[in-house]
């Protein structure tokens, strides 16, 4: 069980993470911004990389690089081994049954688009795709496009004032025309952790497959796709201390087999003639062209790194830090927390009376504090809460209590200047 | 105020943003254009009433950050009663101010000079230019919406 679970709270490993030791691995954290120590609290947008990841990438480029799956020479073997080794690390990380279920993509966005484009080919007018009101644009727009293409209907399960999905309504919206349920595991704008295992159970009761957007989940706690039993799970390397430009689509084997290929090109074929093309086996069927080899290797190194610290330790440490941050924010006069669901991870959004989030962001930057301001690619969420944007502080396991204190002090300065 | 620390929130800027001038929706206007900054969701609508070649009234409404509200307030002050041609010159001066760092000499832009340090904040320049881009579109009569992107 882990921090993304709705059934148990982690506490055993509370002191098992030595944050000062961890921070040594992240060179980027040790710098001054506008004369203040950097407090990086924008991890939901993209997390930072430990030395181990950048070193794995440069080691690969300095010693082993060649194209994969193509050559008989030594470097090509090494590159292929490293690339496929990374795939095995991803498999282990999310506990998939087989590496043929692990497709490397550019990121969460591409993973979702892959499913929308392929599964979408059998969607008919009047079919329904069910999402929720708290999705990131990348789990809205591909479905919207699919609906426009096919005449299918996009249905949206509502959220409540705390920013939790209204589960009773969601369950009722799963019907005979539902072709897919696509839901965030963790909301990037609100931090809400959806009870995805239950959602999967409801969908399966109606024979409906489920795609989970795990972009905001994998940094914060262990994910087990077999326990969740979802058909698809999408996530991004850069949000879990890996490189940009690499991501993963997990798909259950029989689903990936059933889906038509997506992009065409090298690597995804076994034989090509002008009359007939034979597609490659999984997962290569979905990996047209030279892949992001270094990215995959970097992601593998990030997985090693996170696993060595231990996802349970990370989850325990972070949930305590998030609790501290939320309490301190809530104590500020005129500050309204946005996103107060019972089970949350990593993120706290807020607005302050009379101060525009962008002005807040600029003042905070001056105090060395990096947060995100704006709509967080979740405009429907902003509309629901009646704001144009929010300020959002988001955590990783290398953040400290004193960085949160720095945030709170900077917010006081912002209030003095701006309100 | 914390002088030196944040030279973009000068007193003059804060005065305008707290009590913006000409922030209202006129009962009728000849032209109206909404300026939209997709990055932050800010929306400012500029209302223009012309009498021949003269800007008889310019007002704005909407929501935005301190920088865009102050810039909108200053913009309405600067353009009120000016000819369309002169308004075009002033708009150019403002763009040159944020683009090349040219100091605007026109005394109608004296308040705008309080925003000169916004240039040091690339992500905020569009906040300051949003109302000016919108009023330009209104003068050109080129549409109902403009975007900073
Ligand atoms: C919940 C969620 N889904 C999807 C994405 C898109 O991820 P990427 O931009 O890495 O494709 C993000 C990133 O912000 C996210 O937070």
């Amino acid at each position: 069980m882990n921090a993304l679970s709705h059934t148990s709270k982690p506490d055993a490993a509370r002191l098992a993470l030595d944050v000062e030791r961890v921070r040594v691995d992240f060179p980027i954290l040790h710098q001054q911004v506008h004369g203040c120590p950097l407090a990086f609290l924008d991890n939901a947008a993209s997390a930072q990389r430990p030395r181990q990841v950048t070193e794995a990438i440069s080691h690969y480029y300095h010693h082993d690089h060649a194209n994969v799956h193509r050559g008989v020479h030594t470097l090509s073997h090494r590159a292929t081994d490293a690339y496929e080794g990374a795939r095995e690390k991803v498999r282990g990380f999310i506990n998939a049954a087989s590496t043929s279920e692990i497709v490397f993509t550019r990121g969460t966005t591409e993973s979702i688009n892959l499913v929308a484009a392929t599964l979408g080919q059998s969607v008919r007018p009047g079919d329904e795709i069910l999402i929720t009101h708290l999705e990131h644009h990348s789990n809205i727009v591909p479905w919207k496009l699919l609906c426009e293409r096919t005449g299918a209907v996009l249905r949206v399960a509502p959220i409540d004032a705390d920013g939790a999905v209204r589960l009773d309504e969601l369950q009722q919206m799963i019907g005979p025309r539902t072709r897919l349920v696509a839901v965030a595991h963790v909301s990037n704008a609100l931090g809400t952790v959806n009870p995805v295992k239950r959602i999967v159970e409801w969908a399966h009761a109606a024979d409906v497959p489920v795609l989970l957007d795990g972009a905001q989940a994998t940094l914060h706690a262990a994910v087990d796709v077999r326990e969740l039993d979802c058909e698809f799970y999408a996530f991004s390397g850069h949000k879990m201390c890996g490189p940009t430009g690499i991501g993963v689509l997990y798909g259950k084997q029989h689903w990936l087999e059933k889906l038509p290929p997506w992009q065409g090109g090298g690597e995804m074929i076994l034989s090509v003639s002008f009359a007939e093309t034979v597609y490659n086996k999984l997962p290569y069927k979905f990996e047209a062209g030279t892949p992001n080899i270094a990215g995959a290797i970097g992601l593998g190194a990030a997985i090693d790194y996170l696993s060595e610290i231990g996802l349970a330790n990370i989850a325990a440490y972070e949930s305590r830090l998030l609790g501290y941050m939320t309490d301190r924010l809530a104590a500020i006069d005129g500050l309204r927390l946005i996103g107060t669901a019972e089970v949350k991870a990593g993120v706290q959004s807020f607005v302050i009376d009379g101060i525009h989030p962008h002005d807040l962001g600029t003042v905070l930057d001056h105090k060395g504090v990096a947060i995100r301001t704006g709509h967080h690619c979740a405009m429907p969420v902003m509309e629901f809460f009646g704001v144009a944007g929010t300020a959002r502080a988001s955590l990783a396991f290398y953040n400290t209590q004193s960085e949160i204190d720095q945030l709170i002090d900077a917010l006081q300065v912002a209030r003095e200047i701006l309100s | 105020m914390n002088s030196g620390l944040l030279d973009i929130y000068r007193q003059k800027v804060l005065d305008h943003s707290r009590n913006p001038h000409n922030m209202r929706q006129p009962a009728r206007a000849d032209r109206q254009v909404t300026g939209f900054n997709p990055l932050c969701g800010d929306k400012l609508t500029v209302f223009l009433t012309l009498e021949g070649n003269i800007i008889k009234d310019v007002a704005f409404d909407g929501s935005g950050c301190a920088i865009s509200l102050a810039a909108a307030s200053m913009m309405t002050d600067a353009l009120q009663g000016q000819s369309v041609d002169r308004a075009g010159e002033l708009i150019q001066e403002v763009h040159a101010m944020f683009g090349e760092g040219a100091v605007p000499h026109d005394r109608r832009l004296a308040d705008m000079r309080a925003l000169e340090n916004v240039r040091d904040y690339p992500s905020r320049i569009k906040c300051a230019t949003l109302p000016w881009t919108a009023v330009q579109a209104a003068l050109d009569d080129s549409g109902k919406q403009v975007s900073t992107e």
Side-chain angles (χ1 to χ4, degrees):
Chain A
M1 285 296 140
N2 56 58
L4 302 187
S5 156
H6 285 248
T7 49
S8 77
K9 286 247 183 284
D11 54 21
R14 186 151 283 189
L15 293 171
L17 188 145
D18 180 351
V19 69
E20 289 312 323
R21 231 194 76 201
V22 164
R23 289 175 70 84
V24 173
D25 296 329
F26 291 81
I28 201 169
L29 299 177
H30 308 280
Q31 63 176 301
Q32 307 263 311
V33 169
H34 295 294
C36 302
L38 168 68
F40 189 79
L41 299 173
D42 189 21
N43 295 287
S46 195
Q48 301 296 355
R49 281 115 209 81
R51 222 183 273 283
Q52 288 82 345
V53 168
T54 47
E55 278 169 6
I57 294 168
S58 53
H59 183 276
Y60 163 71
Y61 275 131
H62 293 171
H63 300 279
D64 302 329
H65 172 70
N67 212 330
V68 290
H69 303 139
R70 308 216 173 149
V72 293
H73 58 76
T74 303
L75 293 196
S76 179
H77 280 305
R78 278 198 221 141
T80 304
D81 284 350
Y83 181 64
E84 292 305 325
R87 196 188 307 276
E88 167 56 24
K89 286 174 188 178
V90 172
R91 186 208 62 75
F93 184 68
I94 58 172
N95 194 32
S98 154
T99 49
S100 52
E101 300 179 315
I102 306 298
V103 178
F104 282 122
T105 64
R106 270 195 308 129
T108 308
T109 303
E110 189 172 83
S111 297
I112 296 173
N113 275 280
L114 191 164
V115 176
T118 53
L119 184 126
Q121 289 181 27
S122 59
V123 167
R124 301 280 164 261
D127 284 352
E128 296 173 0
I129 306 291
L130 176 57
I131 63 172
T132 81
H133 201 118
L134 56 62
E135 303 306 319
H136 186 279
H137 293 165
S138 64
N139 199 29
I140 301 174
V141 184
W143 308 119
K144 193 104 191 80
L145 288 169
L146 171 63
C147 289
E148 282 164 16
R149 250 187 348 257
T150 59
V153 180
L154 186 67
R155 304 208 58 200
V156 183
I159 52 177
D160 65 20
D162 287 321
V165 175
R166 298 194 31 196
L167 296 170
D168 46 340
E169 303 231 10
L170 180 138
Q171 188 178 11
Q172 281 183 5
M173 290 169 89
I174 301 172
R177 297 304 306 264
T178 312
R179 294 296 312 280
L180 181 77
V181 177
V183 182
H185 194 172
V186 179
S187 151
N188 68 307
L190 300 165
T192 310
V193 178
N194 283 321
V196 286
K197 191 163 150 62
R198 267 157 75 201
I199 294 173
V200 169
E201 282 166 12
W202 295 333
H204 285 183
D207 244 345
V208 174
V210 177
L211 176 143
L212 298 178
D213 170 356
Q216 293 297 337
T218 48
L219 179 64
H220 302 298
V223 170
D224 183 331
V225 290
R226 275 190 284 180
E227 193 206 322
L228 295 173
D229 203 22
C230 55
E231 277 61 38
F232 303 101
Y233 197 93
F235 58 102
S236 299
H238 72 100
K239 292 189 193 282
M240 50 183 288
C241 303
T244 53
I246 187 80
V248 173
L249 174 68
Y250 159 81
K252 279 185 182 167
Q253 177 128 3
H254 67 278
W255 271 93
L256 292 182
E257 272 162 6
K258 195 155 69 173
L259 295 179
W262 184 36
Q263 295 176 330
E267 194 82 20
M268 55 80 72
I269 44 78
L270 284 181
S271 74
V272 177
S273 74
F274 293 114
E276 193 187 22
T277 303
V278 180
Y279 300 118
N280 204 340
K281 63 183 199 293
L282 291 174
Y284 311 109
K285 173 176 144 188
F286 293 108
E287 292 185 0
T290 300
N292 183 352
I293 308 165
I297 290 166
L299 176 57
I303 286 173
D304 285 344
Y305 184 81
L306 295 176
S307 306
E308 196 178 315
I309 296 174
L311 270 298
N313 294 334
I314 287 174
Y317 177 79
E318 269 187 24
S319 86
R320 195 169 43 116
L321 207 55
L322 180 62
Y324 178 74
M325 180 166 80
T326 305
D327 288 349
R328 291 224 54 194
L329 286 171
I332 294 177
D333 253 3
L335 185 146
R336 172 184 169 207
L337 297 174
I338 303 228
T340 47
E342 214 174 294
V343 189
K344 288 188 50 185
V347 167
Q348 186 61 59
S349 267
F350 57 93
V351 291
I352 297 184
D353 282 349
I355 305 183
H356 191 282
H358 270 200
D359 295 317
L360 215 51
T362 294
V363 178
L364 262 50
D365 177 53
H366 254 273
K367 290 294 186 182
V369 180
I371 61 158
R372 174 98 184 260
T373 59
H375 54 60
H376 317 297
C377 295
M379 285 186 181
V381 172
M382 300 300 118
E383 206 180 324
F384 177 84
F385 286 98
V387 294
T390 71
R392 178 189 72 183
S394 57
L395 302 172
F397 56 89
Y398 44 71
N399 287 127
T400 64
Q401 195 158 312
S402 84
E403 288 177 309
I404 290 167
D405 295 337
Q406 190 179 338
L407 163 72
I408 302 296
D409 292 347
L411 286 173
Q412 301 293 6
V413 172
R415 275 173 25 120
E416 276 162 36
I417 296 176
L418 294 168
S419 61
Chain B
M1 136 136 206
N2 234 319
S3 68
L5 164 67
L6 275 163
D7 221 15
I8 71 169
Y9 297 113
R10 290 186 185 161
Q11 198 55 48
K12 180 135 263 130
V13 174
L14 294 172
D15 290 347
H16 273 277
S17 73
R18 287 183 185 132
N19 300 297
H21 306 171
N22 303 303
M23 189 171 182
R24 55 187 156 80
Q25 282 203 26
R28 50 167 295 275
D30 294 331
R31 295 179 193 170
Q32 94 181 46
V33 170
T34 299
F36 182 55
N37 183 344
L39 232 56
C40 56
D42 285 358
K43 259 185 193 164
L44 295 179
T45 302
V46 171
F47 304 92
L48 210 55
T49 303
L50 297 170
E51 207 170 74
N53 199 30
I54 299 296
I55 295 173
K56 191 155 168 271
D57 183 48
V58 50
F60 80 100
D61 202 9
S63 68
C65 62
I67 303 298
S68 63
L69 289 180
S73 170
M74 294 169 182
M75 180 274 290
T76 57
D77 282 352
L79 301 189
Q80 214 67 263
Q82 303 306 299
S83 73
V84 170
D85 288 347
R86 180 117 156 78
E89 287 164 19
L90 291 167
I91 293 168
Q92 273 198 343
E93 273 207 66
V94 168
H95 284 300
M97 168 183 164
F98 292 115
E100 298 105 58
V103 180
H105 292 298
D106 201 301
R107 60 178 177 76
R108 300 201 73 87
L109 297 175
D111 280 11
M112 274 301 289
R113 287 179 63 172
L115 283 167
E116 64 195 356
N117 286 312
V118 170
R119 246 192 119 226
D120 299 334
Y121 300 77
S123 65
R124 305 302 302 275
I125 291 176
K126 283 171 181 162
C127 308
T129 53
L130 179 65
W132 292 90
T133 307
V135 81
Q136 175 79 67
L139 287 166
D140 295 346
D141 208 7
S142 58
K144 291 266 165 260
Q145 263 224 6
V146 285
S147 160
T148 55
E149 295 304 294

